[in-house]
Amino acid sequence: MLSISHLIIIFLVALIVFGPEKLPELARTLSKLMREFNRATGGLRESLEQDLRQLEREVLEQRQAPAATPAAAPAMALPEAASTGETPAPPGDATAASAPAESPSSPSATLPDNAADGHPTAA
C-alpha cells in the first residue's frame, strides 16, 4: 500500500506533467475507469463464487451417492439370482460364482436306475 508521502509525490508529478487545467479531467477519467474495473471484477468474483458453490454441491452429492449405492446393489442382485435358480455367491468366492448350484430336482442330481454301476447311459 502507498503511504501518504508517496501519494503526495505522485500528485505533484501528475500536476507538473498534466498541468492544473487537465488534472480535474484526468481525475474524473481515472475515477470512471476505477468504477468500471470494480464492476467488472465484482461480476467476475460473483460468477467464480457461484461456480465454486456449484462444484462444492456436486462433490457433496458424489460423496453421498456411494453411501446409498451399496445398500441398493444386493437388493438388485437377489431377484436376478432367484429367477435363474442360482444361489448368489458370497463376495470373493470365485468357485461358487462360476459353477451354478444344483438343485435336487435337476436331472444331473439323480442317477437313473440302470446307472448304478457308475457308467452313464446314452439317452
Side-chain angles (χ1 to χ4, degrees):
M1 194 70 169
L2 296 174
S3 67
I4 298 294
S5 61
H6 289 110
L7 290 174
I8 291 173
I9 292 172
I10 291 172
F11 177 73
L12 290 176
V13 170
L15 184 62
I16 293 170
V17 170
F18 295 108
E21 300 86 24
K22 294 225 176 195
L23 200 56
E25 183 183 333
L26 182 65
R28 281 190 292 272
T29 305
L30 186 61
S31 163
K32 287 180 185 178
L33 288 174
M34 291 300 292
R35 276 190 298 240
E36 290 296 321
F37 180 76
N38 284 337
R39 283 185 197 146
T41 57
L44 179 64
R45 184 181 311 123
E46 287 177 20
S47 78
L48 285 175
E49 288 175 354
Q50 183 180 7
D51 290 342
L52 285 174
R53 283 191 298 266
Q54 179 66 27
L55 285 173
E56 288 174 355
R57 277 183 283 215
E58 290 174 4
V59 168
L60 287 175
E61 288 173 1
Q62 288 177 354
R63 286 182 183 168
Q64 291 173 355
T69 304
M76 292 172 53
L78 289 177
E80 179 182 322
S83 67
T84 60
E86 298 177 4
T87 57
D93 188 11
T95 59
S98 63
E102 293 185 11
S103 65
S105 63
S106 69
S108 62
T110 60
L111 294 175
D113 292 340
N114 61 353
D117 58 350
H119 298 290
T121 58

